[in-house]
Amino acid sequence: MTDLNDPRLVELMDRSRIADVIHYWCRAIDRLDFDAISRCFHRDGIDDHVFYRGDIPGLVECLRNRHRDISFSAHAVSNILIEFESRTRACVESYVKVTQRRPQPAMEGAEADSHVSEVYCRYLDIFECREGTWAIAHRMLVIDSATEYFDREPVHRLPPITSPNRGRRDGADAVYRRT
């Protein structure tokens, strides 16, 4: 029989819970699920996101405004390094590639085009376990590389997707209506 209090097993479960929060954050921001964004942090959490530094309600409002015109967003996490300082505190470094698309106003004499940004960044998080729940107490976003593209002449453009399987940035996305 497995001893659920075995410190090695507890650490594995904690690592899984921390990674789940990081992945949950990615889905929340990409689907504009602002309530879920808040749940990734402790109530007194702080975020330093380059363009915003402060509490989580302020972060949510900042992201709500910043993402208003972003038609596509994908946060892809790769390396997640979790270093426990204690049984209730961990330093976590996560590598993230963010791709976003937004309309760009037409330049003089040209049609409007799409602006795509591709950012390689890292989340430097302090996670704390409080009342049995792991969440972010402090996050710092570090940008390692950023590239912007303008879609003037795409090599191949897919036809518009009109089925219910089209990805959406809201609660009508397929992930929320699994059967």
Side-chain angles (χ1 to χ4, degrees):
M1 181 170 232
T2 304
D3 178 7
L4 294 179
N5 293 317
D6 180 330
R8 295 170 299 174
L9 182 57
V10 170
E11 183 178 308
L12 285 173
M13 291 187 304
D14 289 343
R15 286 180 183 280
S16 180
R17 289 181 181 120
I18 289 169
D20 281 351
V21 171
I22 293 165
H23 292 118
Y24 195 62
W25 156 271
C26 292
R27 181 172 78 187
I29 190 64
D30 290 339
R31 301 285 70 83
L32 298 176
D33 186 345
F34 298 109
D35 291 335
I37 289 171
S38 295
R39 288 192 298 271
C40 293
F41 292 84
H42 286 295
R43 287 182 185 212
D44 62 347
I46 298 294
D47 186 281
D48 183 351
H49 224 85
V50 178
F51 51 82
Y52 172 83
R53 186 181 195 314
D55 64 13
I56 304 315
L59 172 67
V60 168
E61 191 57 34
C62 176
L63 292 171
R64 187 184 308 274
N65 291 327
R66 187 173 178 85
H67 281 253
R68 184 170 286 130
D69 295 328
I70 296 174
S71 61
F72 170 80
S73 179
H75 288 65
V77 176
S78 58
N79 305 350
I80 300 175
L81 177 64
I82 302 169
E83 299 175 306
F84 289 96
E85 290 185 342
S86 70
R87 289 182 178 216
T88 60
R89 185 177 167 96
C91 295
V92 181
E93 178 184 29
S94 306
Y95 283 68
V96 183
K97 177 184 177 189
V98 181
T99 304
Q100 295 178 326
R101 180 182 299 275
R102 66 176 51 85
Q104 196 64 14
M107 300 170 136
E108 188 174 327
E111 294 183 30
D113 52 16
S114 289
H115 172 243
V116 176
S117 63
E118 185 176 272
V119 177
Y120 289 89
C121 60
R122 288 173 289 134
Y123 297 140
L124 304 182
D125 294 326
I126 301 297
F127 270 80
E128 293 180 354
C129 184
R130 301 179 190 170
E131 299 177 9
T133 300
W134 283 98
I136 302 165
H138 184 272
R139 166 167 282 174
M140 176 190 291
L141 171 69
V142 175
I143 297 176
D144 292 314
S145 175
T147 307
E148 297 184 22
Y149 303 93
F150 293 92
D151 246 358
R152 293 190 186 278
E153 297 180 32
V155 175
H156 176 71
R157 187 178 300 270
L158 295 173
I161 301 169
T162 57
S163 78
N165 294 350
R166 174 152 181 107
R168 294 183 48 115
R169 297 208 65 211
D170 59 23
D173 186 80
V175 75
Y176 297 112
R177 60 175 199 276
R178 294 182 206 155
T179 57

